Amino acid sequence: MSSSGPIPRLFGPYVLTRHLGSDPLGSVYRAGTAAGPHLAPFLLVRAFDGAGVDHAALVPVMETATEYLEEVRGPAVAKGAVLGIVEDVPFAGIEYVPGRTLDRLFSGEGQGSIPLPVEHALLIAEKLLVALEAGKPFEKKMGAPHGFLTPGFVTISNDGDVRVYGAGLGAGLIPSLKKPDALAAFGPYIAPEVLASGRPSAAGDIYSAAAILFQALTGRPPATGAGADALAGAVLAVDGSPMPDDLARLIARGLTKDPAQREQDVVAYRKTLGKLLYGGPYAPSTFNLAFFMHQRFEKAIDRERKELGQEETIDPKPLAAAEERRDREASQKAAAARAAAAL
Protein backbone atom coordinates (compact mmCIF):
# COMPACT_ATOMS: atom_id res chain seq x y z
CA MET A 1 0.00 0.00 0.00
CA SER A 2 0.99 3.59 -0.34
CA SER A 3 1.08 5.70 2.78
CA SER A 4 -0.92 8.35 0.92
CA GLY A 5 -4.67 8.52 1.31
CA PRO A 6 -7.32 9.47 3.86
CA ILE A 7 -6.52 9.54 7.58
CA PRO A 8 -6.93 7.63 9.82
CA ARG A 9 -5.87 4.49 7.98
CA LEU A 10 -4.02 1.28 8.63
CA PHE A 11 -0.29 1.07 7.97
CA GLY A 12 0.80 -2.43 8.88
CA PRO A 13 0.43 -2.81 12.67
CA TYR A 14 -0.18 0.93 13.04
CA VAL A 15 -2.90 3.45 12.31
CA LEU A 16 -1.72 6.71 10.78
CA THR A 17 -3.71 9.36 12.61
CA ARG A 18 -2.12 12.68 11.66
CA HIS A 19 0.01 13.87 8.75
CA LEU A 20 2.76 16.06 10.21
CA GLY A 21 4.76 17.05 7.14
CA SER A 22 6.51 16.04 3.94
CA ASP A 23 9.90 16.42 2.31
CA PRO A 24 11.65 14.77 -0.66
CA LEU A 25 12.19 11.59 1.39
CA GLY A 26 8.47 11.16 2.00
CA SER A 27 5.89 11.88 4.68
CA VAL A 28 5.91 12.04 8.48
CA TYR A 29 2.94 10.92 10.55
CA ARG A 30 1.75 10.42 14.06
CA ALA A 31 0.56 6.84 14.38
CA GLY A 32 -1.04 4.66 17.02
CA THR A 33 -0.41 0.97 17.54
CA ALA A 34 -3.43 -1.12 16.54
CA ALA A 35 -2.97 -3.84 19.16
CA GLY A 36 -6.16 -3.38 21.20
CA PRO A 37 -9.52 -1.63 21.28
CA HIS A 38 -7.79 1.76 21.26
CA LEU A 39 -4.56 3.14 19.83
CA ALA A 40 -1.49 2.91 22.08
CA PRO A 41 1.38 3.47 22.18
CA PHE A 42 1.90 6.26 19.65
CA LEU A 43 4.83 6.54 17.26
CA LEU A 44 6.35 9.12 14.98
CA VAL A 45 6.47 7.36 11.61
CA ARG A 46 8.56 8.53 8.67
CA ALA A 47 7.43 6.79 5.48
CA PHE A 48 10.16 6.77 2.84
CA ASP A 49 7.70 7.11 -0.05
CA GLY A 50 9.22 10.22 -1.65
CA ALA A 51 9.91 10.17 -5.36
CA GLY A 52 13.63 10.63 -4.77
CA VAL A 53 14.13 7.64 -2.49
CA ASP A 54 16.17 4.81 -4.01
CA HIS A 55 14.50 1.76 -2.46
CA ALA A 56 17.09 -0.60 -3.90
CA ALA A 57 19.77 1.28 -1.94
CA LEU A 58 17.73 1.95 1.20
CA VAL A 59 16.14 -1.42 1.97
CA PRO A 60 19.35 -3.48 2.42
CA VAL A 61 20.84 -0.69 4.55
CA MET A 62 17.72 -0.75 6.74
CA GLU A 63 18.01 -4.51 7.13
CA THR A 64 21.58 -4.16 8.38
CA ALA A 65 20.79 -1.15 10.58
CA THR A 66 18.04 -3.11 12.32
CA GLU A 67 20.68 -5.42 13.78
CA TYR A 68 22.22 -2.50 15.68
CA LEU A 69 19.15 -0.66 16.97
CA GLU A 70 19.26 -2.37 20.36
CA GLU A 71 22.91 -1.40 20.84
CA VAL A 72 22.35 2.31 20.38
CA ARG A 73 20.96 3.88 23.53
CA GLY A 74 21.53 7.22 25.22
CA PRO A 75 19.95 10.43 26.51
CA ALA A 76 19.90 11.97 23.03
CA VAL A 77 18.79 8.89 21.09
CA ALA A 78 15.09 8.54 20.27
CA LYS A 79 13.40 5.69 22.12
CA GLY A 80 11.46 2.83 20.59
CA ALA A 81 13.23 2.88 17.23
CA VAL A 82 11.84 0.48 14.64
CA LEU A 83 12.59 -0.02 10.94
CA GLY A 84 10.34 -1.92 8.58
CA ILE A 85 8.48 -2.17 5.29
CA VAL A 86 4.71 -2.11 4.85
CA GLU A 87 3.67 -3.27 1.39
CA ASP A 88 6.77 -1.88 -0.34
CA VAL A 89 6.92 1.34 1.72
CA PRO A 90 10.05 1.46 3.92
CA PHE A 91 9.59 3.37 7.17
CA ALA A 92 11.34 4.40 10.37
CA GLY A 93 9.41 4.78 13.60
CA ILE A 94 10.21 6.05 17.08
CA GLU A 95 8.27 6.59 20.28
CA TYR A 96 6.06 9.63 19.84
CA VAL A 97 6.73 12.49 22.24
CA PRO A 98 4.64 15.67 21.89
CA GLY A 99 6.75 18.30 20.18
CA ARG A 100 8.12 18.83 16.69
CA THR A 101 11.01 17.88 14.49
CA LEU A 102 13.81 20.40 14.10
CA ASP A 103 12.96 21.12 10.47
CA ARG A 104 9.47 22.15 11.60
CA LEU A 105 11.00 24.34 14.30
CA PHE A 106 13.29 25.98 11.75
CA SER A 107 10.37 26.61 9.39
CA GLY A 108 8.25 28.14 12.13
CA GLU A 109 5.23 26.09 11.05
CA GLY A 110 3.70 28.98 9.16
CA GLN A 111 4.95 31.62 11.62
CA GLY A 112 8.09 32.36 9.63
CA SER A 113 11.63 31.50 10.66
CA ILE A 114 11.97 31.42 14.45
CA PRO A 115 15.32 32.75 15.70
CA LEU A 116 16.87 30.61 18.40
CA PRO A 117 18.75 32.19 21.28
CA VAL A 118 22.41 31.16 21.29
CA GLU A 119 22.09 28.97 24.38
CA HIS A 120 19.26 26.93 22.83
CA ALA A 121 21.18 26.49 19.57
CA LEU A 122 24.27 25.29 21.43
CA LEU A 123 22.25 22.95 23.64
CA ILE A 124 20.64 21.35 20.58
CA ALA A 125 24.06 20.97 18.92
CA GLU A 126 25.46 19.35 22.05
CA LYS A 127 22.65 16.78 22.01
CA LEU A 128 23.39 16.01 18.35
CA LEU A 129 26.99 15.24 19.26
CA VAL A 130 25.91 13.12 22.23
CA ALA A 131 23.71 11.11 19.85
CA LEU A 132 26.63 10.67 17.45
CA GLU A 133 28.74 9.33 20.32
CA ALA A 134 26.02 6.79 21.06
CA GLY A 135 25.92 5.80 17.38
CA LYS A 136 29.42 4.31 17.38
CA PRO A 137 28.06 0.77 16.74
CA PHE A 138 26.66 2.01 13.43
CA GLU A 139 30.02 3.52 12.46
CA LYS A 140 31.73 0.12 12.51
CA LYS A 141 29.32 -1.38 9.99
CA MET A 142 27.67 1.55 8.20
CA GLY A 143 30.62 3.96 7.94
CA ALA A 144 29.16 6.66 10.20
CA PRO A 145 27.33 7.02 13.52
CA HIS A 146 24.38 8.47 11.59
CA GLY A 147 25.19 9.16 7.95
CA PHE A 148 22.31 11.53 7.09
CA LEU A 149 22.04 13.90 10.04
CA THR A 150 19.54 16.49 8.88
CA PRO A 151 16.96 18.53 10.87
CA GLY A 152 14.10 16.16 9.97
CA PHE A 153 15.78 13.40 12.00
CA VAL A 154 15.98 15.55 15.15
CA THR A 155 13.02 15.87 17.52
CA ILE A 156 12.47 18.61 20.10
CA SER A 157 9.86 17.75 22.71
CA ASN A 158 7.63 20.34 24.31
CA ASP A 159 9.63 19.64 27.49
CA GLY A 160 12.90 20.62 25.82
CA ASP A 161 14.21 17.10 25.27
CA VAL A 162 16.34 16.74 22.10
CA ARG A 163 16.53 13.31 20.44
CA VAL A 164 17.96 11.94 17.18
CA TYR A 165 16.75 9.03 15.06
CA GLY A 166 17.49 7.52 11.65
CA ALA A 167 21.04 6.53 12.57
CA GLY A 168 22.73 4.06 10.25
CA LEU A 169 20.59 4.89 7.21
CA GLY A 170 23.04 7.26 5.52
CA ALA A 171 24.31 4.88 2.84
CA GLY A 172 20.72 4.17 1.84
CA LEU A 173 19.56 7.80 1.81
CA ILE A 174 22.55 9.55 0.23
CA PRO A 175 21.59 8.23 -3.26
CA SER A 176 18.41 10.35 -3.00
CA LEU A 177 20.64 13.42 -3.34
CA LYS A 178 20.93 12.66 -7.05
CA LYS A 179 17.46 14.20 -7.36
CA PRO A 180 17.46 18.04 -7.48
CA ASP A 181 14.68 18.43 -4.90
CA ALA A 182 16.45 16.21 -2.40
CA LEU A 183 19.79 17.90 -3.00
CA ALA A 184 18.22 21.32 -2.43
CA ALA A 185 16.57 20.17 0.80
CA PHE A 186 19.39 18.13 2.36
CA GLY A 187 22.58 19.09 0.53
CA PRO A 188 23.42 21.95 2.94
CA TYR A 189 23.86 19.44 5.77
CA ILE A 190 25.99 16.90 3.89
CA ALA A 191 29.78 17.22 3.80
CA PRO A 192 31.26 17.94 0.34
CA GLU A 193 33.30 14.72 0.28
CA VAL A 194 30.22 12.67 1.21
CA LEU A 195 28.26 14.33 -1.60
CA ALA A 196 31.08 13.47 -3.98
CA SER A 197 31.69 9.88 -2.88
CA GLY A 198 28.24 8.81 -1.70
CA ARG A 199 29.84 7.24 1.36
CA PRO A 200 28.89 8.41 4.88
CA SER A 201 31.64 9.03 7.42
CA ALA A 202 32.14 10.11 11.01
CA ALA A 203 33.78 13.35 9.82
CA GLY A 204 30.75 13.89 7.59
CA ASP A 205 28.46 13.60 10.61
CA ILE A 206 30.45 16.30 12.41
CA TYR A 207 30.00 18.52 9.35
CA SER A 208 26.24 17.89 9.52
CA ALA A 209 26.08 18.82 13.21
CA ALA A 210 28.03 22.02 12.55
CA ALA A 211 25.76 22.89 9.62
CA ILE A 212 22.68 22.45 11.81
CA LEU A 213 24.27 24.63 14.51
CA PHE A 214 25.01 27.27 11.85
CA GLN A 215 21.34 27.30 10.85
CA ALA A 216 20.15 27.36 14.46
CA LEU A 217 22.26 30.47 15.06
CA THR A 218 21.78 32.33 11.77
CA GLY A 219 18.28 31.22 10.75
CA ARG A 220 19.45 29.76 7.44
CA PRO A 221 21.44 26.69 6.39
CA PRO A 222 24.87 27.07 4.81
CA ALA A 223 24.95 26.85 1.04
CA THR A 224 25.56 23.34 -0.23
CA GLY A 225 29.30 22.67 -0.23
CA ALA A 226 30.13 26.11 1.19
CA GLY A 227 31.90 24.79 4.26
CA ALA A 228 33.38 27.39 6.58
CA ASP A 229 33.03 30.00 3.80
CA ALA A 230 29.41 30.28 4.97
CA LEU A 231 30.66 32.13 8.05
CA ALA A 232 31.73 35.18 6.04
CA GLY A 233 29.44 38.00 7.14
CA ALA A 234 27.24 35.65 9.20
CA VAL A 235 25.01 37.27 11.80
CA LEU A 236 22.92 35.90 14.64
CA ALA A 237 19.27 35.61 13.74
CA VAL A 238 18.13 36.43 17.27
CA ASP A 239 19.44 40.02 17.22
CA GLY A 240 21.28 40.64 13.94
CA SER A 241 24.67 41.01 15.60
CA PRO A 242 27.82 39.62 13.94
CA MET A 243 28.63 36.00 14.69
CA PRO A 244 30.83 36.01 17.84
CA ASP A 245 34.39 34.83 17.25
CA ASP A 246 34.12 31.93 19.69
CA LEU A 247 31.04 30.57 17.94
CA ALA A 248 32.59 31.12 14.51
CA ARG A 249 35.70 29.18 15.51
CA LEU A 250 33.59 26.31 16.85
CA ILE A 251 31.51 26.08 13.68
CA ALA A 252 34.57 26.42 11.42
CA ARG A 253 36.15 23.36 13.07
CA GLY A 254 33.15 21.32 11.99
CA LEU A 255 32.38 22.96 8.64
CA THR A 256 35.87 22.86 7.12
CA LYS A 257 35.57 21.49 3.59
CA ASP A 258 38.69 19.34 3.78
CA PRO A 259 37.89 16.37 6.04
CA ALA A 260 41.58 16.04 6.90
CA GLN A 261 41.47 19.54 8.41
CA ARG A 262 38.03 19.12 9.97
CA GLU A 263 37.48 17.97 13.54
CA GLN A 264 37.56 14.18 13.37
CA ASP A 265 36.70 13.24 16.96
CA VAL A 266 33.09 13.74 17.98
CA VAL A 267 33.96 13.47 21.68
CA ALA A 268 36.61 16.17 21.39
CA TYR A 269 34.21 18.38 19.43
CA ARG A 270 31.49 17.92 22.04
CA LYS A 271 33.92 18.82 24.84
CA THR A 272 34.99 21.96 23.00
CA LEU A 273 31.35 22.94 22.56
CA GLY A 274 30.70 22.10 26.23
CA LYS A 275 33.41 24.47 27.43
CA LEU A 276 31.83 27.24 25.43
CA LEU A 277 28.31 26.27 26.45
CA TYR A 278 28.86 25.89 30.17
CA GLY A 279 31.88 28.10 30.72
CA GLY A 280 30.79 31.04 28.60
CA PRO A 281 28.18 33.77 28.93
CA TYR A 282 25.25 31.48 28.12
CA ALA A 283 22.60 29.87 30.33
CA PRO A 284 21.62 26.59 28.71
CA SER A 285 19.06 24.29 30.28
CA THR A 286 16.35 21.89 29.19
CA PHE A 287 13.90 23.92 31.30
CA ASN A 288 14.72 27.13 29.42
CA LEU A 289 14.35 25.37 26.06
CA ALA A 290 10.99 23.98 27.22
CA PHE A 291 9.89 27.47 28.26
CA PHE A 292 10.90 28.76 24.81
CA MET A 293 8.89 25.98 23.11
CA HIS A 294 5.78 26.73 25.15
CA GLN A 295 6.09 30.44 24.46
CA ARG A 296 6.44 29.98 20.72
CA PHE A 297 4.00 27.11 20.19
CA GLU A 298 1.40 27.54 22.93
CA LYS A 299 -1.59 27.21 20.61
CA ALA A 300 -0.05 24.32 18.68
CA ILE A 301 0.75 22.49 21.93
CA ASP A 302 -2.84 22.86 23.14
CA ARG A 303 -4.14 21.68 19.78
CA GLU A 304 -1.81 18.68 19.81
CA ARG A 305 -2.98 17.69 23.29
CA LYS A 306 -6.60 17.70 22.15
CA GLU A 307 -5.80 15.78 18.97
CA LEU A 308 -3.98 13.07 20.90
CA GLY A 309 -6.92 12.70 23.25
CA GLN A 310 -9.24 12.17 20.29
CA GLU A 311 -6.89 9.84 18.43
CA GLU A 312 -6.40 7.59 21.46
CA THR A 313 -10.09 6.64 21.27
CA ILE A 314 -9.97 5.46 17.64
CA ASP A 315 -11.10 1.85 17.29
CA PRO A 316 -8.89 0.13 14.68
CA LYS A 317 -11.37 -2.70 14.00
CA PRO A 318 -13.63 -0.79 11.56
CA LEU A 319 -10.51 0.41 9.71
CA ALA A 320 -9.29 -3.16 9.36
CA ALA A 321 -12.70 -4.34 8.15
CA ALA A 322 -12.86 -1.51 5.59
CA GLU A 323 -9.38 -2.36 4.29
CA GLU A 324 -10.26 -6.04 3.96
CA ARG A 325 -13.34 -5.06 1.98
CA ARG A 326 -11.31 -2.80 -0.32
CA ASP A 327 -8.72 -5.54 -0.85
CA ARG A 328 -11.45 -8.06 -1.65
CA GLU A 329 -13.11 -5.72 -4.13
CA ALA A 330 -9.77 -4.94 -5.77
CA SER A 331 -9.03 -8.65 -6.06
CA GLN A 332 -12.42 -9.29 -7.64
CA LYS A 333 -11.91 -6.48 -10.15
CA ALA A 334 -8.47 -7.78 -11.05
CA ALA A 335 -9.87 -11.31 -11.55
CA ALA A 336 -12.67 -9.94 -13.74
CA ALA A 337 -10.17 -7.97 -15.82
CA ARG A 338 -8.02 -11.07 -16.34
CA ALA A 339 -11.08 -13.09 -17.35
CA ALA A 340 -12.14 -10.41 -19.83
CA ALA A 341 -8.66 -10.26 -21.32
CA ALA A 342 -8.65 -14.03 -21.82
CA LEU A 343 -11.81 -13.98 -23.96
Side-chain angles (χ1 to χ4, degrees), residues 5-337:
I7 289 179
R9 65 181 178 279
L10 287 177
F11 185 69
Y14 312 111
V15 174
L16 304 179
T17 60
R18 186 75 51 176
H19 180 257
L20 300 177
S22 300
D23 62 29
L25 294 181
S27 297
V28 179
Y29 300 90
R30 185 163 63 235
T33 304
H38 302 298
L39 300 185
F42 275 81
L43 285 79
L44 181 76
V45 170
R46 173 180 273 276
F48 295 110
D49 56 358
V53 175
D54 184 340
H55 287 194
L58 177 59
V59 170
V61 170
M62 288 177 57
E63 291 173 348
T64 303
T66 300
E67 301 173 13
Y68 294 86
L69 288 180
E70 292 300 319
E71 296 184 38
V72 179
R73 293 286 184 271
V77 177
K79 297 179 180 179
V82 60
L83 298 171
I85 301 174
V86 174
E87 297 187 17
D88 299 328
V89 179
F91 74 92
I94 56 172
E95 176 185 305
Y96 184 81
V97 178
R100 54 223 359 95
T101 48
L102 187 56
D103 57 342
R104 292 173 63 198
L105 178 61
F106 282 160
S107 72
E109 298 181 4
Q111 302 178 40
S113 180
I114 295 178
L116 283 170
V118 171
E119 60 268 22
H120 297 340
L122 289 173
L123 182 62
I124 290 169
E126 182 192 41
K127 299 301 184 184
L128 300 186
L129 297 175
V130 170
L132 292 180
E133 288 183 55
K136 283 292 184 180
F138 283 118
E139 183 178 351
K140 297 175 184 177
K141 184 69 175 180
M142 320 299 284
H146 193 284
F148 204 85
L149 184 58
T150 57
F153 287 110
V154 181
T155 65
I156 315 289
S157 79
N158 295 333
D159 294 329
D161 191 26
V162 182
R163 302 269 177 165
V164 176
Y165 76 104
L169 302 183
L173 294 176
I174 289 171
S176 70
L177 300 177
K178 296 175 183 177
K179 297 295 181 72
D181 288 350
L183 180 62
F186 309 119
Y189 311 103
I190 307 300
E193 76 278 4
V194 175
L195 284 172
S197 69
R199 294 190 298 271
S201 67
D205 277 348
I206 289 177
Y207 184 100
S208 298
I212 291 174
L213 174 57
F214 177 89
Q215 181 170 3
L217 289 169
T218 66
R220 58 181 178 82
T224 298
D229 293 344
L231 288 162
V235 299
L236 298 177
V238 70
D239 60 11
S241 63
M243 177 78 71
D245 290 342
D246 53 1
L247 296 178
R249 287 193 296 270
L250 175 71
I251 294 173
R253 285 182 63 177
L255 273 189
T256 299
K257 293 180 185 179
D258 183 355
Q261 301 299 317
R262 189 184 310 144
E263 176 61 67
Q264 299 277 327
D265 187 339
V266 67
V267 176
Y269 197 47
R270 177 185 58 78
K271 289 181 178 179
T272 300
L273 186 150
K275 290 178 182 178
L276 181 61
L277 184 56
Y278 299 107
Y282 311 110
S285 74
T286 299
F287 175 83
N288 288 341
L289 180 55
F291 183 72
F292 174 85
M293 296 289 286
H294 280 264
Q295 273 191 316
R296 291 290 184 171
F297 298 104
E298 181 180 4
K299 292 182 179 179
I301 289 171
D302 287 342
R303 183 171 62 250
E304 182 181 33
R305 187 181 300 115
K306 293 176 183 177
E307 290 172 352
L308 276 168
Q310 295 169 349
E311 292 165 21
E312 286 173 352
T313 65
I314 293 174
D315 183 353
K317 293 187 184 66
L319 297 174
E323 180 158 310
E324 288 177 4
R325 184 170 60 253
R326 286 194 296 269
D327 289 345
R328 186 167 56 251
E329 292 172 352
S331 179
Q332 291 170 348
K333 289 181 180 179

